[in-house]
mmCIF file of all heavy atoms in Angstrom:
data_model
loop_
_atom_site.group_PDB
_atom_site.id
_atom_site.type_symbol
_atom_site.label_atom_id
_atom_site.label_comp_id
_atom_site.label_asym_id
_atom_site.label_seq_id
_atom_site.Cartn_x
_atom_site.Cartn_y
_atom_site.Cartn_z
ATOM 1 N N PRO P 67 -36.899 48.692 12.669
ATOM 2 C CA PRO P 67 -36.811 47.705 13.748
ATOM 3 C C PRO P 67 -35.757 46.628 13.459
ATOM 4 O O PRO P 67 -35.454 46.333 12.308
ATOM 5 C CB PRO P 67 -38.200 47.069 13.781
ATOM 6 C CG PRO P 67 -39.069 47.942 12.943
ATOM 7 C CD PRO P 67 -38.171 48.636 11.971
ATOM 8 N N HIS P 68 -35.247 46.048 14.535
ATOM 9 C CA HIS P 68 -34.349 44.893 14.451
ATOM 10 C C HIS P 68 -35.185 43.643 14.734
ATOM 11 O O HIS P 68 -35.847 43.561 15.773
ATOM 12 C CB HIS P 68 -33.252 44.959 15.505
ATOM 13 C CG HIS P 68 -32.399 46.186 15.452
ATOM 14 N ND1 HIS P 68 -31.658 46.553 14.359
ATOM 15 C CD2 HIS P 68 -32.154 47.135 16.391
ATOM 16 C CE1 HIS P 68 -30.993 47.660 14.617
ATOM 17 N NE2 HIS P 68 -31.287 48.047 15.845
ATOM 18 N N ALA P 69 -35.138 42.673 13.845
ATOM 19 C CA ALA P 69 -35.816 41.397 14.097
ATOM 20 C C ALA P 69 -35.163 40.703 15.283
ATOM 21 O O ALA P 69 -33.990 40.947 15.584
ATOM 22 C CB ALA P 69 -35.723 40.502 12.852
ATOM 23 N N PRO P 70 -35.902 39.824 15.944
ATOM 24 C CA PRO P 70 -35.301 39.051 17.034
ATOM 25 C C PRO P 70 -34.210 38.118 16.504
ATOM 26 O O PRO P 70 -34.192 37.781 15.326
ATOM 27 C CB PRO P 70 -36.469 38.223 17.587
ATOM 28 C CG PRO P 70 -37.697 38.737 16.959
ATOM 29 C CD PRO P 70 -37.311 39.516 15.749
ATOM 30 N N ILE P 71 -33.322 37.718 17.393
ATOM 31 C CA ILE P 71 -32.320 36.710 17.036
ATOM 32 C C ILE P 71 -32.936 35.349 17.330
ATOM 33 O O ILE P 71 -33.459 35.116 18.419
ATOM 34 C CB ILE P 71 -31.022 36.933 17.828
ATOM 35 C CG1 ILE P 71 -30.413 38.284 17.436
ATOM 36 C CG2 ILE P 71 -30.036 35.789 17.595
ATOM 37 C CD1 ILE P 71 -29.221 38.705 18.276
ATOM 38 N N ARG P 72 -32.892 34.456 16.318
ATOM 39 C CA ARG P 72 -33.496 33.129 16.467
ATOM 40 C C ARG P 72 -32.729 32.137 15.589
ATOM 41 O O ARG P 72 -32.086 32.535 14.620
ATOM 42 C CB ARG P 72 -34.969 33.156 16.102
ATOM 43 C CG ARG P 72 -35.235 33.438 14.641
ATOM 44 C CD ARG P 72 -36.731 33.384 14.262
ATOM 45 N NE ARG P 72 -37.403 34.616 14.607
ATOM 46 C CZ ARG P 72 -38.454 34.701 15.425
ATOM 47 N NH1 ARG P 72 -38.973 33.642 15.951
ATOM 48 N NH2 ARG P 72 -39.010 35.863 15.688
ATOM 49 N N PRO P 73 -32.844 30.847 15.884
ATOM 50 C CA PRO P 73 -32.241 29.842 15.000
ATOM 51 C C PRO P 73 -32.999 29.811 13.666
ATOM 52 O O PRO P 73 -34.223 29.933 13.645
ATOM 53 C CB PRO P 73 -32.425 28.520 15.743
ATOM 54 C CG PRO P 73 -33.012 28.835 17.064
ATOM 55 C CD PRO P 73 -33.458 30.256 17.060
ATOM 56 N N VAL P 74 -32.263 29.653 12.569
ATOM 57 C CA VAL P 74 -32.868 29.627 11.241
ATOM 58 C C VAL P 74 -32.506 28.301 10.569
ATOM 59 O O VAL P 74 -31.326 28.021 10.324
ATOM 60 C CB VAL P 74 -32.409 30.828 10.389
ATOM 61 C CG1 VAL P 74 -33.010 30.765 8.995
ATOM 62 C CG2 VAL P 74 -32.803 32.139 11.075
ATOM 63 N N SER P 75 -33.521 27.515 10.272
ATOM 64 C CA SER P 75 -33.330 26.157 9.749
ATOM 65 C C SER P 75 -32.513 26.117 8.465
ATOM 66 O O SER P 75 -31.654 25.246 8.311
ATOM 67 C CB SER P 75 -34.681 25.483 9.509
ATOM 68 O OG SER P 75 -35.363 25.329 10.727
ATOM 69 N N ILE P 76 -32.764 27.044 7.519
ATOM 70 C CA ILE P 76 -32.042 26.975 6.242
ATOM 71 C C ILE P 76 -30.563 27.316 6.401
ATOM 72 O O ILE P 76 -29.775 27.071 5.498
ATOM 73 C CB ILE P 76 -32.662 27.886 5.154
ATOM 74 C CG1 ILE P 76 -32.612 29.350 5.559
ATOM 75 C CG2 ILE P 76 -34.036 27.435 4.784
ATOM 76 C CD1 ILE P 76 -32.827 30.303 4.410
ATOM 77 N N ASN P 77 -30.194 27.867 7.542
ATOM 78 C CA ASN P 77 -28.789 28.176 7.823
ATOM 79 C C ASN P 77 -28.262 27.253 8.917
ATOM 80 O O ASN P 77 -27.540 27.684 9.815
ATOM 81 C CB ASN P 77 -28.621 29.648 8.192
ATOM 82 C CG ASN P 77 -28.858 30.555 7.011
ATOM 83 O OD1 ASN P 77 -28.697 30.144 5.865
ATOM 84 N ND2 ASN P 77 -29.250 31.775 7.269
ATOM 85 N N ASN P 78 -28.665 25.983 8.851
ATOM 86 C CA ASN P 78 -28.207 24.939 9.783
ATOM 87 C C ASN P 78 -28.499 25.261 11.240
ATOM 88 O O ASN P 78 -27.757 24.867 12.130
ATOM 89 C CB ASN P 78 -26.703 24.679 9.600
ATOM 90 C CG ASN P 78 -26.378 24.215 8.207
ATOM 91 O OD1 ASN P 78 -27.089 23.383 7.650
ATOM 92 N ND2 ASN P 78 -25.327 24.764 7.629
ATOM 93 N N GLY P 79 -29.565 26.003 11.477
ATOM 94 C CA GLY P 79 -29.948 26.343 12.839
ATOM 95 C C GLY P 79 -29.125 27.456 13.459
ATOM 96 O O GLY P 79 -29.277 27.754 14.646
ATOM 97 N N ASP P 80 -28.240 28.075 12.671
ATOM 98 C CA ASP P 80 -27.461 29.197 13.198
ATOM 99 C C ASP P 80 -28.407 30.306 13.641
ATOM 100 O O ASP P 80 -29.431 30.554 13.003
ATOM 101 C CB ASP P 80 -26.506 29.752 12.139
ATOM 102 C CG ASP P 80 -25.349 28.814 11.843
ATOM 103 O OD1 ASP P 80 -25.134 27.862 12.618
ATOM 104 O OD2 ASP P 80 -24.665 29.046 10.826
ATOM 105 N N GLU P 81 -28.041 30.973 14.723
ATOM 106 C CA GLU P 81 -28.860 32.071 15.219
ATOM 107 C C GLU P 81 -28.491 33.362 14.509
ATOM 108 O O GLU P 81 -27.296 33.648 14.309
ATOM 109 C CB GLU P 81 -28.698 32.223 16.728
ATOM 110 C CG GLU P 81 -29.317 31.088 17.492
ATOM 111 C CD GLU P 81 -29.397 31.351 18.979
ATOM 112 O OE1 GLU P 81 -28.830 32.363 19.467
ATOM 113 O OE2 GLU P 81 -30.044 30.548 19.659
ATOM 114 N N MET P 82 -29.498 34.099 14.115
ATOM 115 C CA MET P 82 -29.315 35.382 13.441
ATOM 116 C C MET P 82 -30.598 36.173 13.561
ATOM 117 O O MET P 82 -31.625 35.642 13.987
ATOM 118 C CB MET P 82 -28.956 35.162 11.970
ATOM 119 C CG MET P 82 -30.034 34.447 11.181
ATOM 120 S SD MET P 82 -29.490 33.945 9.546
ATOM 121 C CE MET P 82 -28.117 32.908 9.954
ATOM 122 N N ARG P 83 -30.551 37.416 13.141
ATOM 123 C CA ARG P 83 -31.767 38.221 13.138
ATOM 124 C C ARG P 83 -32.672 37.694 12.033
ATOM 125 O O ARG P 83 -32.269 37.601 10.875
ATOM 126 C CB ARG P 83 -31.449 39.695 12.920
ATOM 127 C CG ARG P 83 -30.724 40.295 14.119
ATOM 128 C CD ARG P 83 -30.999 41.764 14.274
ATOM 129 N NE ARG P 83 -30.300 42.313 15.413
ATOM 130 C CZ ARG P 83 -30.809 42.413 16.629
ATOM 131 N NH1 ARG P 83 -32.028 41.997 16.864
ATOM 132 N NH2 ARG P 83 -30.109 42.937 17.614
ATOM 133 N N ALA P 84 -33.885 37.347 12.422
ATOM 134 C CA ALA P 84 -34.851 36.806 11.474
ATOM 135 C C ALA P 84 -36.247 37.069 12.001
ATOM 136 O O ALA P 84 -36.509 36.924 13.198
ATOM 137 C CB ALA P 84 -34.647 35.303 11.292
ATOM 138 N N TRP P 85 -37.135 37.449 11.104
ATOM 139 C CA TRP P 85 -38.526 37.673 11.485
ATOM 140 C C TRP P 85 -39.238 36.356 11.726
ATOM 141 O O TRP P 85 -40.198 36.286 12.479
ATOM 142 C CB TRP P 85 -39.244 38.508 10.424
ATOM 143 C CG TRP P 85 -38.648 39.869 10.276
ATOM 144 C CD1 TRP P 85 -37.881 40.331 9.239
ATOM 145 C CD2 TRP P 85 -38.742 40.955 11.202
ATOM 146 N NE1 TRP P 85 -37.495 41.627 9.467
ATOM 147 C CE2 TRP P 85 -38.011 42.038 10.665
ATOM 148 C CE3 TRP P 85 -39.378 41.116 12.429
ATOM 149 C CZ2 TRP P 85 -37.900 43.269 11.318
ATOM 150 C CZ3 TRP P 85 -39.264 42.345 13.076
ATOM 151 C CH2 TRP P 85 -38.538 43.393 12.520
ATOM 152 N N TYR P 86 -38.737 35.279 11.077
ATOM 153 C CA TYR P 86 -39.324 33.945 11.265
ATOM 154 C C TYR P 86 -38.334 32.901 10.796
ATOM 155 O O TYR P 86 -37.404 33.186 10.036
ATOM 156 C CB TYR P 86 -40.658 33.804 10.511
ATOM 157 C CG TYR P 86 -40.585 34.084 9.024
ATOM 158 C CD1 TYR P 86 -40.417 33.056 8.108
ATOM 159 C CD2 TYR P 86 -40.711 35.379 8.538
ATOM 160 C CE1 TYR P 86 -40.356 33.313 6.744
ATOM 161 C CE2 TYR P 86 -40.660 35.647 7.182
ATOM 162 C CZ TYR P 86 -40.477 34.610 6.289
ATOM 163 O OH TYR P 86 -40.420 34.870 4.944
ATOM 164 N N ASP P 87 -38.520 31.670 11.292
ATOM 165 C CA ASP P 87 -37.713 30.543 10.823
ATOM 166 C C ASP P 87 -38.180 30.192 9.420
ATOM 167 O O ASP P 87 -39.367 30.259 9.113
ATOM 168 C CB ASP P 87 -37.872 29.349 11.756
ATOM 169 C CG ASP P 87 -36.930 28.210 11.422
ATOM 170 O OD1 ASP P 87 -35.913 28.457 10.723
ATOM 171 O OD2 ASP P 87 -37.202 27.083 11.846
ATOM 172 N N PHE P 88 -37.242 29.842 8.576
ATOM 173 C CA PHE P 88 -37.546 29.608 7.165
ATOM 174 C C PHE P 88 -36.968 28.275 6.745
ATOM 175 O O PHE P 88 -35.818 27.965 7.045
ATOM 176 C CB PHE P 88 -36.946 30.734 6.319
ATOM 177 C CG PHE P 88 -37.210 30.605 4.851
ATOM 178 C CD1 PHE P 88 -38.443 30.950 4.325
ATOM 179 C CD2 PHE P 88 -36.228 30.144 3.997
ATOM 180 C CE1 PHE P 88 -38.686 30.840 2.971
ATOM 181 C CE2 PHE P 88 -36.459 30.029 2.642
ATOM 182 C CZ PHE P 88 -37.695 30.378 2.128
ATOM 183 N N GLN P 89 -37.787 27.475 6.054
ATOM 184 C CA GLN P 89 -37.342 26.199 5.508
ATOM 185 C C GLN P 89 -37.721 26.159 4.040
ATOM 186 O O GLN P 89 -38.858 26.474 3.681
ATOM 187 C CB GLN P 89 -38.015 25.042 6.238
ATOM 188 C CG GLN P 89 -37.719 24.999 7.721
ATOM 189 C CD GLN P 89 -38.558 23.977 8.449
ATOM 190 O OE1 GLN P 89 -39.238 23.171 7.845
ATOM 191 N NE2 GLN P 89 -38.509 24.014 9.763
ATOM 192 N N PHE P 90 -36.760 25.782 3.183
ATOM 193 C CA PHE P 90 -37.066 25.651 1.757
ATOM 194 C C PHE P 90 -38.165 24.623 1.535
ATOM 195 O O PHE P 90 -38.246 23.626 2.245
ATOM 196 C CB PHE P 90 -35.824 25.231 0.961
ATOM 197 C CG PHE P 90 -34.888 26.365 0.666
ATOM 198 C CD1 PHE P 90 -33.583 26.344 1.121
ATOM 199 C CD2 PHE P 90 -35.315 27.463 -0.067
ATOM 200 C CE1 PHE P 90 -32.720 27.376 0.839
ATOM 201 C CE2 PHE P 90 -34.461 28.512 -0.352
ATOM 202 C CZ PHE P 90 -33.156 28.462 0.100
ATOM 203 N N HIS P 91 -38.995 24.859 0.556
ATOM 204 C CA HIS P 91 -40.050 23.939 0.110
ATOM 205 C C HIS P 91 -41.051 23.617 1.208
ATOM 206 O O HIS P 91 -41.621 22.534 1.237
ATOM 207 C CB HIS P 91 -39.443 22.651 -0.459
ATOM 208 C CG HIS P 91 -38.380 22.900 -1.467
ATOM 209 N ND1 HIS P 91 -38.627 23.534 -2.670
ATOM 210 C CD2 HIS P 91 -37.048 22.637 -1.442
ATOM 211 C CE1 HIS P 91 -37.495 23.630 -3.340
ATOM 212 N NE2 HIS P 91 -36.530 23.104 -2.627
ATOM 213 N N SER P 92 -41.262 24.549 2.118
ATOM 214 C CA SER P 92 -42.251 24.369 3.177
ATOM 215 C C SER P 92 -43.118 25.610 3.223
ATOM 216 O O SER P 92 -42.755 26.616 3.840
ATOM 217 C CB SER P 92 -41.567 24.138 4.524
ATOM 218 O OG SER P 92 -42.537 24.058 5.543
ATOM 219 N N GLU P 93 -44.256 25.557 2.540
ATOM 220 C CA GLU P 93 -45.140 26.725 2.417
ATOM 221 C C GLU P 93 -45.586 27.283 3.766
ATOM 222 O O GLU P 93 -45.762 28.471 3.916
ATOM 223 C CB GLU P 93 -46.374 26.366 1.585
ATOM 224 C CG GLU P 93 -46.065 26.037 0.146
ATOM 225 C CD GLU P 93 -45.578 27.229 -0.650
ATOM 226 O OE1 GLU P 93 -46.113 28.334 -0.468
ATOM 227 O OE2 GLU P 93 -44.642 27.050 -1.447
ATOM 228 N N GLY P 94 -45.795 26.421 4.747
ATOM 229 C CA GLY P 94 -46.331 26.883 6.023
ATOM 230 C C GLY P 94 -45.284 27.167 7.072
ATOM 231 O O GLY P 94 -45.628 27.557 8.187
ATOM 232 N N SER P 95 -43.999 26.974 6.740
ATOM 233 C CA SER P 95 -42.975 27.155 7.774
ATOM 234 C C SER P 95 -42.958 28.597 8.268
ATOM 235 O O SER P 95 -43.149 29.536 7.509
ATOM 236 C CB SER P 95 -41.591 26.764 7.245
ATOM 237 O OG SER P 95 -41.078 27.725 6.366
ATOM 238 N N GLY P 96 -42.752 28.716 9.557
ATOM 239 C CA GLY P 96 -42.607 30.033 10.147
ATOM 240 C C GLY P 96 -43.885 30.724 10.558
ATOM 241 O O GLY P 96 -43.848 31.858 11.031
ATOM 242 N N SER P 97 -45.025 30.085 10.387
ATOM 243 C CA SER P 97 -46.311 30.765 10.648
ATOM 244 C C SER P 97 -46.409 31.355 12.048
ATOM 245 O O SER P 97 -46.855 32.495 12.210
ATOM 246 C CB SER P 97 -47.478 29.807 10.394
ATOM 247 O OG SER P 97 -47.573 29.515 9.020
ATOM 248 N N GLU P 98 -45.996 30.601 13.057
ATOM 249 C CA GLU P 98 -46.082 31.117 14.436
ATOM 250 C C GLU P 98 -45.144 32.292 14.640
ATOM 251 O O GLU P 98 -45.500 33.293 15.270
ATOM 252 C CB GLU P 98 -45.786 30.009 15.443
ATOM 253 C CG GLU P 98 -46.896 28.978 15.534
ATOM 254 C CD GLU P 98 -46.587 27.890 16.554
ATOM 255 O OE1 GLU P 98 -45.739 28.102 17.441
ATOM 256 O OE2 GLU P 98 -47.211 26.817 16.445
ATOM 257 N N ASP P 99 -43.928 32.191 14.079
ATOM 258 C CA ASP P 99 -42.974 33.297 14.186
ATOM 259 C C ASP P 99 -43.484 34.530 13.446
ATOM 260 O O ASP P 99 -43.290 35.656 13.903
ATOM 261 C CB ASP P 99 -41.614 32.904 13.601
ATOM 262 C CG ASP P 99 -40.896 31.822 14.392
ATOM 263 O OD1 ASP P 99 -41.254 31.592 15.562
ATOM 264 O OD2 ASP P 99 -39.966 31.216 13.827
#
Side-chain angles (χ1 to χ4, degrees):
H68 302 301
I71 296 173
R72 66 177 81 238
V74 178
S75 296
I76 62 163
N77 291 335
N78 300 317
D80 289 347
E81 290 191 352
M82 62 190 59
R83 291 209 180 268
W85 297 107
Y86 56 95
D87 187 19
F88 181 78
Q89 300 171 10
F90 280 120
H91 310 297
S92 176
E93 295 292 320
S95 74
S97 292
E98 289 181 20
D99 293 342

